[in-house]
Amino acid sequence: MKTITLNTKIEKESEKAIMIDCGCLSSYGSEFSYKMWLPKSQVTINETEVIVPKWLLAAKLQESKSTLFIIGNQTFRKIDFI
């Protein structure tokens, strides 16, 4: 799978990027909200979904230092991208 379809809404938008909200779980077990900015040049935006390259979601997960993302009704674990 080279892309991942996220069933989520766009929280904010700039000329070059979109922001989506996701839940995260830290390696210590605490939950927190994470605002993820994605470059428009790398994603495809539809009415109810955002299509993201797998490598980009993996990089954002690494960057956040969380063990997993919860985006909409989907869960992505760091180990899934290793």
Side-chain angles (χ1 to χ4, degrees), residues 4-64:
I4 296 173
T5 301
L6 304 175
N7 299 312
T8 188
K9 66 177 186 167
I10 297 170
E11 297 289 322
K12 284 187 179 181
E13 188 169 349
S14 73
E15 184 179 324
K16 295 185 178 187
I18 60 168
M19 183 183 78
I20 61 173
D21 187 33
C22 44
C24 294
L25 183 65
S26 74
S27 56
Y28 301 107
S30 59
E31 296 178 25
F32 59 97
S33 180
Y34 181 72
K35 306 296 185 191
M36 183 188 309
W37 284 95
L38 301 168
K40 286 182 177 178
S41 62
Q42 296 295 322
V43 300
T44 302
I45 303 165
N46 295 325
E47 287 183 28
T48 60
E49 58 191 24
V50 178
I51 302 169
V52 181
K54 187 176 180 180
W55 67 263
L56 180 57
L57 190 59
K60 291 294 182 176
L61 187 55
Q62 261 320 98
E63 179 183 287
S64 75

